Amino acid sequence: MLAYLTKRLFWSIPMLIAVSIVAFIIIQLPPGDYATAYVAELRHQGDTVDPLMEQEIRVHFGLDKPIYVQYWWWISGIVLHGDFGQSLDYNMPVSNLIWARLGLTLAISITSLLLTWLIAIPIGVYSATRQYSALDYVFTIFGFIGRGFPEFLTALVLMWLAYSWLNMDVGGLMSAGMEQQPWSFAKVIDVASHIWVPLVVLATSGTAGLIRVVRANMLDELNKPYVETAYAQGLSERRVVWGYPVRVALNPFISTIGWALPSLISGDVITAVVLNLPTTGPLLLRALKNQDMYLAGSFILILSVFTIIGTLISDILLALSDPRVRRG
Amino acid sequence: MTEDTPLVEITDLGVEFRMREGVVRAVDGVSLHVRKGEVLGIVGESGSGKSISVRSIMQLLPKTAVLSRGSVLFRPPCGGEIDIAKLDRKGKEIRSLRSRHIGMIFQEPMTALSPVHTIGRQVMTPIRLHLGLGKKAARDRARELLQLVQMPRPDQMLDAYPHELSGGMRQRAMIAIALACNPSLLIADEPTTALDVTTEAQILDLLKSLQERLGMAIIFITHNFGVVADIADRIAVMYMGRVVESGPVDDIFEKPQHPYTRALMASVPRLGAERRRRLTTIPGMVPDPFELPKGCSFHTRCSEAVAGTCDRLDAPLIDLAGGRNVRCHLHSQNQTGGPDVG
Amino acid sequence: MTDTTLINPTPIETNDAKEALYRATPRQLMWWRFRKHKLAVVSLCVLVFAYLTIAFAEFTAPYDPYEITEMATMQPPQSVHLFDEEWNFQGPFVYGLKRARDLETAAVIYTVDTDDIVPLHFFVAGSDYLFWGLIPGSFHLFGAEDPDTHIYLLGTDTLGRDLLSRLIHGGRTTLTIGILGVFFSFLIGITLGSISGYYGGRIDAAIQRLMEFIRSIPTIPLWMGLAAALPVEWDPLFVYFLITILLSLISWTHLARTVRGSFLSLRGEDYVLAARLLGASEKRIITKHMLPAMTSYIIAAVTLSVPEMILGETALSFLGLGLRPPVVSWGVLLQEAQNLRVIVQAPWLLLPGLAIVIIVLSFNFLGDGLRDAADPYGR
């Protein structure tokens, strides 16, 4: 077990380095650099700019140095000082921007993830144990449809329905007038009347997929001989199903929990844009559109690091739940 | 209970699979019995209904199977008589019989053990469920059981996972689970088929010595005559969902009465037989279960089939002397013994 | 036993149907199994219909997708009728719409004019086009007889452009991106996947790490990052091509995994060992013995990854990072429906979304059907 973990940890180091390089390349991809953009920005504001100044800025920020030196400065700033650079667009440190929005993002995502599990796992298990029952068909159809509906479309349709039937504008996190007010019962109600839309959208798409996976895995497992052994021991159906095949069937699913971590932060980009939520997704989109490359690059770096950590967590969980993996 | 009342008595059992393509009668009027402390061997090819028949004793049939007729009487040592065929397959009564009074060993020791629980945990499950022992006591009992099935280093084995053990060791663990509550009947469904020959012999020896020590009855299913000869007191031969012949093991080996039994025995390689003798095979294939042949189900492959009789009329079950039965037309015409063939 | 004869053991009688079953080639068997999967067959028909429609987009679309009609902005869909108000049979026709302005809100209102019957004609002359940019033509599948009267079966957008024509032309972009993208990722995936699965060892480890690495970068942000790096001023066609490659550069790992997995299991098969013992070259073993055994799985995997591509394109364009107007694609069309106010006024602008759902589901069902049919041990 320990050897396995050490090996996994060891492997994530080169992965982290490679990811940071890719993020940096993305930062560098658009033509021009920080200095060109900065000068253009000043010109845009009506300042007259000395052509020499652009060069000065370049020297000041070290942009005239070879690319690997720049990379080193960028990455060492992040690792040693937690300094992700400056957002051009917002004229603020990147880290402030991101951390400020991360809380809400995680709150929405984790809630919807838990909702997804709470709904999908029992339904998937039920569908598998009562294969071809009426409810199984209902859930299967739901799963199929959920598979074809992109999240943003669900969000659009929900918004439209809420508006035309309930006469509610459910975009944003709260009603326009509420933002400046202190927290009160009315404000909580107001937020609740908005927050259900993203939760429903995210949970729906996740649930549809997960039901299918859980059902398919369970059907495989239910036919295995060890299930019969468990029945032969005189255990009740509930104890057999939840104690044996569910544990095995959830293994492939546990291995994807780690993947859920980055998508917790990025997966809702489109939904968040549609619903106009103050989460990290729209921030990333805006950064990319305005070529606010330090913000965007740091974003991609942070997300990738989350993925690598997530994969690591998955592997550990998997090793804990499935003894066969530990030796690997 | 007198020595003669059977522990389990299956009468005219019928099990059907109702599928879109039609009804398959996997078991069609099987009658069997096992006495206390007796070893019954059931021999047959795959698809002969032997596994399904014995699974009815535990109500462990596949979901699509329907127990359509017959009774399965079980007489637990504590007294009484239960018709298992009438019990709900998910009900409390049958669950209190499983493992408590009837233990079962399966064919695939590789997959019949849960991959995510330790051996100890799996042996302890029925102990804690049926005997109501605490964790500590159950663990002690599990260790005893592992010793009983001659597993080396039982303490270590308690915390081992199935994938860490060899096939033979897994089957021993399987036996330990089946014997956990000291059942009066042990069902062994081809317990050695998936094992290599040496391990097979070890497991058979183990089963035999356990039977002598604990005195439980065993129903031993196999497709291999050589295996039952060693362990069984009586044999029942099955073909296409029916018992075609049954009787004491020595009698059947000495003088098989049904053409199918003879054909099966001829296809077993034997030491000491004439050197040049070719191994015979049974011609033809097992018939399509959806389109069972008319008449005796074996007539399509029988070398002694009689046209006009065997392909038209169902073969009757005939009682022979010495507790023997045979289901064959040849015997209804000549009741004193088999025709002089083979 | 006087009047009896011995029956020789005869093989089971086979009727014609069984005979055909025994003689069928694997491909025939696959087709038979596939035909049983009703949903997959329907999906196949839907997809054939969709791809035929977009192949002849200039002809099947009634109007030029860029043609702006100021007097018909945000016009609701006109439904096709066969009988008029008095239940007289008229042949297919639509009612004309009257355009007026609400005096208070100044919003445009359309009312159905049941006196104005516009019959639907087929193969009418309409706006000129160059079919596939080469052959000039002016015939359209249907339209009104008078070229100045327009029929909008799916309504119009904020600029008065015909949504149906835009949907068909947009489908040409979106649906071909799906196929092309999968083709590229198929090339990368199958090459690296089979190398990885066949040779194993250090090469396998290296390719595995590469795949793990690519998969460790969250898809959508990476797509977004790369797409944002594409300069705005580039030729739309070139951007289209780059987006396709971009999508495939990231999604090949899934295919490669499938291929590698089946290679690993096939490599252990006895018949591969037999081929090797007979002295077959590695290339021959891969191409003649292993690939054919995997073809059907690969086809199924490919089919299942098309919708992923389509959704990728749609999402990117929807966010304004992929294709940009004037190019039409379903994502671009949906971009217009981003705003709640627009949807409330013109809910039919969500119809491209319905098209996406239908196509994605069809590909999924088709893929499921193929996968089931490809399994030689399936029932």
Side-chain angles (χ1 to χ4, degrees):
Chain A
M1 183 76 187
L2 204 66
Y4 174 74
L5 280 188
T6 329
K7 201 176 131 195
R8 287 292 305 130
L9 270 174
F10 177 76
W11 264 117
S12 43
I13 295 168
M15 297 274 282
L16 284 172
I17 295 173
V19 160
S20 71
I21 293 173
V22 168
F24 188 71
I25 290 172
I26 289 176
I27 294 178
Q28 300 292 333
L29 263 183
D33 55 22
Y34 188 92
T36 357
Y38 185 68
V39 169
E41 181 71 21
L42 285 182
R43 283 215 181 90
H44 187 70
Q45 285 165 4
D47 294 5
T48 44
V49 185
D50 187 351
L52 274 176
M53 187 175 158
E54 190 177 327
Q55 194 52 37
E56 268 170 36
I57 295 172
R58 200 160 274 143
V59 174
H60 177 77
F61 285 103
L63 298 177
D64 54 338
K65 294 281 191 304
I67 195 99
Y68 55 86
V69 176
Q70 290 186 44
Y71 168 74
W72 175 247
W73 283 3
W74 180 70
I75 197 73
S76 57
I78 292 173
V79 175
L80 301 177
H81 315 290
D83 174 17
F84 285 91
Q86 193 82 3
S87 159
L88 287 170
D89 201 16
Y90 292 85
N91 204 16
M92 270 169 88
V94 165
S95 41
N96 292 6
L97 276 168
I98 293 179
W99 301 131
R101 283 168 170 242
L102 211 54
L104 178 67
T105 313
L106 285 175
I108 290 182
S109 314
I110 291 176
T111 319
S112 65
L113 191 70
L114 290 179
L115 266 180
T116 309
W117 293 344
L118 274 178
I119 302 169
I121 296 175
I123 290 183
V125 172
Y126 177 88
S127 268
T129 47
R130 301 273 182 282
Q131 202 188 357
Y132 304 132
S133 66
L135 269 178
D136 177 33
Y137 279 115
V138 171
F139 292 135
T140 309
I141 290 168
F142 169 74
F144 274 141
I145 293 174
R147 205 172 154 196
F149 257 88
E151 283 173 20
F152 67 93
L153 203 61
T154 322
L156 280 177
V157 171
L158 263 185
M159 261 168 77
W160 174 48
L161 291 182
Y163 185 85
S164 50
W165 286 358
L166 307 172
N167 206 13
M168 281 164 69
D169 184 358
V170 291
L173 190 61
M174 52 192 89
S175 306
M178 286 285 180
E179 268 163 55
Q180 305 306 324
Q181 292 178 21
W183 280 98
S184 64
F185 184 65
K187 188 165 175 173
V188 172
I189 294 287
D190 186 62
V191 169
S193 75
H194 284 82
I195 202 103
W196 65 273
V197 183
L199 289 183
V200 167
V201 170
L202 294 174
T204 310
S205 67
T207 310
L210 193 58
I211 288 179
R212 275 177 63 88
V213 176
V214 172
R215 181 176 180 272
N217 287 349
M218 276 302 287
L219 283 178
D220 278 355
E221 291 303 325
L222 281 174
N223 284 326
K224 299 244 169 101
Y226 69 84
V227 178
E228 200 178 22
T229 313
Y231 275 118
Q233 292 178 358
L235 293 168
S236 65
E237 188 187 17
R238 207 165 49 107
R239 277 190 69 185
V240 170
V241 169
W242 287 95
Y244 297 79
V246 170
R247 275 201 56 183
V248 185
L250 289 186
N251 280 343
F253 159 71
I254 288 171
S255 66
T256 58
I257 288 184
W259 302 97
L261 194 62
S263 65
L264 282 180
I265 304 156
S266 75
D268 66 329
V269 176
I270 308 177
T271 316
V273 169
V274 172
L275 295 174
N276 191 23
L277 297 176
T279 55
T280 45
L283 186 71
L284 171 61
L285 179 67
R286 189 171 156 180
L288 287 167
K289 276 191 171 167
N290 296 344
Q291 303 218 335
D292 190 353
M293 294 326 280
Y294 273 98
L295 182 52
S298 310
F299 234 118
I300 292 173
L301 179 67
I302 291 174
L303 287 176
S304 308
V305 170
F306 268 116
T307 323
I308 291 173
I309 296 173
T311 319
L312 199 65
I313 294 175
S314 280
D315 287 349
I316 296 171
L317 284 177
L318 193 61
L320 282 177
S321 89
D322 190 343
R324 287 169 295 183
V325 179
R326 273 173 228 166
R327 291 198 301 183
Chain B
M1 187 175 10
T2 61
E3 275 302 304
D4 270 5
T5 2
L7 181 67
V8 185
E9 193 167 9
I10 302 179
T11 319
D12 193 30
L13 181 75
V15 180
E16 297 174 356
F17 286 83
R18 291 177 187 153
M19 296 198 264
R20 233 176 298 162
E21 298 91 329
V23 174
V24 176
R25 291 208 173 78
V27 175
D28 192 9
V30 162
S31 299
L32 287 169
H33 64 274
V34 188
R35 278 184 283 268
K36 220 177 131 196
E38 182 188 43
V39 181
L40 171 72
I42 302 182
V43 188
E45 289 168 281
S46 27
S48 60
K50 52 191 194 310
S51 276
I52 299 287
S53 305
V54 296
R55 272 173 166 71
S56 327
I57 304 177
M58 284 186 115
Q59 279 276 12
L60 272 183
L61 297 169
K63 274 187 185 164
T64 43
V66 183
L67 229 160
S68 57
R69 66 192 153 101
S71 63
V72 181
L73 294 180
F74 179 69
R75 300 187 179 96
C78 45
E81 189 179 276
I82 306 166
D83 184 359
I84 292 174
K86 289 206 172 61
L87 297 181
D88 172 22
R89 72 166 78 181
K90 282 175 189 158
K92 259 210 169 103
E93 296 103 315
I94 186 66
R95 278 196 272 133
S96 64
L97 286 181
R98 289 178 186 159
S99 217
R100 177 68 191 87
H101 295 294
I102 310 170
M104 185 151 180
I105 317 170
F106 296 90
Q107 181 174 353
E108 290 279 343
M110 296 292 194
T111 47
L113 292 170
S114 161
V116 290
H117 298 102
T118 58
I119 299 291
R121 173 87 195 272
Q122 299 188 51
V123 180
M124 282 156 67
T125 307
I127 300 173
R128 299 191 63 189
L129 187 72
H130 296 293
L131 305 182
L133 294 185
K135 224 174 185 171
K136 179 80 182 47
R139 197 176 158 91
D140 290 341
R141 167 95 180 116
R143 187 181 302 112
E144 275 169 36
L145 281 162
L146 293 190
Q147 263 158 358
L148 186 72
V149 297
Q150 298 163 19
M151 277 175 97
R153 300 184 312 277
D155 275 299
Q156 249 172 291
M157 288 299 180
L158 280 176
D159 296 316
Y161 284 95
H163 70 265
E164 296 165 338
L165 306 183
S166 67
M169 282 301 139
R170 280 182 223 182
Q171 198 57 291
R172 280 168 203 265
M174 197 69 235
I175 296 172
I177 296 174
L179 294 180
C181 307
N182 243 329
S184 45
L185 175 66
L186 178 68
I187 298 174
D189 186 359
E190 307 220 18
T192 57
T193 309
L195 304 173
D196 61 75
V197 190
T198 339
T199 322
E200 177 175 35
Q202 288 170 358
I203 295 289
L204 283 176
D205 281 345
L206 176 68
L207 278 175
K208 249 196 304 190
S209 70
L210 285 173
Q211 202 266 333
E212 276 158 25
R213 261 177 84 177
L214 306 172
M216 71 282 188
I218 299 183
I219 299 182
F220 196 103
I221 302 177
T222 180
H223 59 259
N224 187 343
F225 254 112
V227 170
V228 273
D230 216 19
I231 190 165
D233 300 318
R234 281 191 310 118
I235 292 185
V237 182
M238 287 189 68
Y239 184 74
M240 296 309 290
R242 288 183 166 180
V243 177
V244 294
E245 178 165 9
S246 67
V249 64
D250 295 337
D251 297 354
I252 289 194
F253 267 85
E254 209 165 286
K255 203 161 189 203
Q257 298 291 352
H258 197 281
Y260 178 62
T261 317
R262 279 198 287 275
L264 266 188
M265 286 169 93
S267 59
V268 178
R270 241 179 295 176
L271 276 178
E274 299 161 58
R275 278 210 157 183
R276 295 270 195 79
R277 202 178 71 105
R278 280 189 72 140
L279 261 188
T280 20
T281 53
I282 305 180
M285 300 226 297
V286 179
D288 183 350
F290 291 107
E291 296 164 41
L292 280 182
K294 245 183 99 151
C296 170
S297 47
F298 188 58
H299 85 262
T300 51
R301 302 168 72 187
C302 183
S303 57
E304 299 157 38
V306 183
T309 312
C310 292
D311 53 351
R312 290 224 188 111
L313 303 170
D314 251 354
L317 187 68
I318 294 152
D319 276 321
L320 304 174
R324 296 188 65 175
N325 281 313
V326 67
R327 192 185 277 279
C328 183
H329 284 294
L330 299 175
H331 292 271
S332 57
Q333 284 150 0
N334 184 2
Q335 296 240 353
T336 49
D340 201 20
V341 216
Chain C
M1 274 202 254
T2 47
D3 56 350
T4 54
T5 46
L6 286 177
I7 305 170
N8 288 323
T10 47
I12 312 153
E13 278 186 4
T14 51
N15 48 33
D16 290 345
K18 270 190 186 158
E19 189 65 29
L21 188 69
Y22 293 141
R23 291 198 179 167
T25 61
R27 202 154 294 178
Q28 263 173 320
L29 285 173
M30 223 180 122
W31 171 239
W32 289 342
R33 276 195 297 263
F34 178 75
R35 253 189 344 201
K36 275 194 202 158
H37 208 299
K38 290 281 175 314
L39 214 49
V41 177
V42 173
S43 302
L44 182 65
C45 297
V46 169
L47 290 175
V48 168
F49 173 75
Y51 275 90
L52 279 178
T53 310
I54 61 153
F56 300 101
E58 290 87 351
F59 167 72
T60 48
Y63 306 105
D64 180 343
Y66 301 106
E67 187 189 322
I68 293 171
T69 313
E70 277 153 27
M71 290 312 287
T73 52
M74 285 181 142
Q75 183 176 317
Q78 292 163 291
S79 48
V80 179
H81 301 260
L82 288 175
F83 299 94
D84 66 12
E85 297 252 287
E86 276 85 46
W87 289 100
N88 299 318
F89 182 73
Q90 298 276 0
F93 72 93
V94 299
Y95 288 119
L97 293 176
K98 267 196 188 137
R99 181 185 160 98
R101 248 176 217 287
D102 189 314
L103 290 175
E104 283 170 34
T105 60
V108 178
I109 305 169
Y110 289 94
T111 41
V112 176
D113 180 2
T114 47
D115 293 331
D116 183 11
I117 287 173
V118 186
L120 220 63
H121 285 266
F122 290 94
F123 302 103
V124 290
S127 52
D128 296 331
Y129 54 78
L130 278 176
F131 182 66
W132 285 38
L134 300 170
I135 311 154
S138 64
F139 273 92
H140 295 266
L141 182 61
F142 70 90
E145 198 168 21
D146 173 15
D148 291 333
T149 316
H150 281 25
I151 295 173
Y152 301 116
L153 289 187
L154 297 185
T156 62
D157 65 4
T158 42
L159 293 177
R161 294 174 293 198
D162 176 33
L163 189 61
L164 177 63
S165 305
R166 289 177 71 72
L167 190 67
I168 293 175
H169 280 272
R172 190 177 254 187
T173 320
T174 300
L175 296 184
T176 48
I177 278 201
I179 298 287
L180 263 180
V182 165
F183 175 73
F184 285 129
S185 57
F186 171 71
L187 278 188
I188 309 174
I190 203 165
T191 318
L192 292 182
S194 46
I195 291 176
S196 180
Y198 185 81
Y199 291 103
R202 212 174 276 181
I203 300 177
D204 181 34
I207 293 178
Q208 280 298 98
R209 286 285 110 50
L210 179 67
M211 277 160 53
E212 217 171 279
F213 169 64
I214 291 182
R215 292 190 331 146
S216 80
I217 307 175
T219 325
I220 293 197
L222 185 59
W223 274 347
M224 284 166 70
L226 292 173
L230 300 179
V232 190
E233 61 272 15
W234 283 1
D235 183 55
L237 202 71
F238 191 54
V239 171
Y240 161 87
F241 192 67
L242 282 179
I243 294 259
T244 316
I245 292 187
L246 230 159
L247 290 174
S248 48
L249 268 182
I250 295 162
S251 58
W252 63 270
T253 50
H254 172 70
L255 264 176
R257 252 161 55 105
T258 313
V259 175
R260 176 177 174 271
S262 24
F263 249 106
L264 281 182
S265 61
L266 281 178
R267 197 172 53 162
E269 296 281 332
D270 289 342
Y271 82 93
V272 174
L273 182 66
R276 190 167 301 143
L277 291 176
L278 286 172
S281 70
E282 306 234 301
K283 193 180 144 214
R284 194 182 156 80
I285 291 176
I286 293 186
T287 56
K288 292 273 171 191
H289 293 277
M290 293 169 82
L291 275 181
M294 303 161 25
T295 322
S296 26
Y297 294 98
I298 294 175
I299 291 174
V302 165
T303 315
L304 287 173
S305 48
V306 176
E308 217 176 297
M309 292 282 173
I310 291 178
L311 286 178
E313 184 278 324
T314 321
L316 280 184
S317 305
F318 180 74
L319 291 177
L321 290 172
L323 299 169
R324 298 179 176 93
V327 176
V328 260
S329 81
W330 290 351
V332 173
L333 288 182
L334 275 179
Q335 227 185 327
E336 289 199 9
Q338 242 185 50
N339 192 313
L340 185 58
R341 250 178 319 145
V342 177
I343 303 179
V344 170
Q345 275 181 37
W348 55 89
L349 288 179
L350 282 175
L351 281 172
L354 186 66
I356 294 172
V357 172
I358 292 174
I359 293 295
V360 167
L361 281 180
S362 299
F363 269 113
N364 278 329
F365 290 143
L366 179 66
D368 284 350
L370 284 173
R371 193 180 45 201
D372 292 351
D375 181 2
Y377 303 109
R379 262 175 293 170

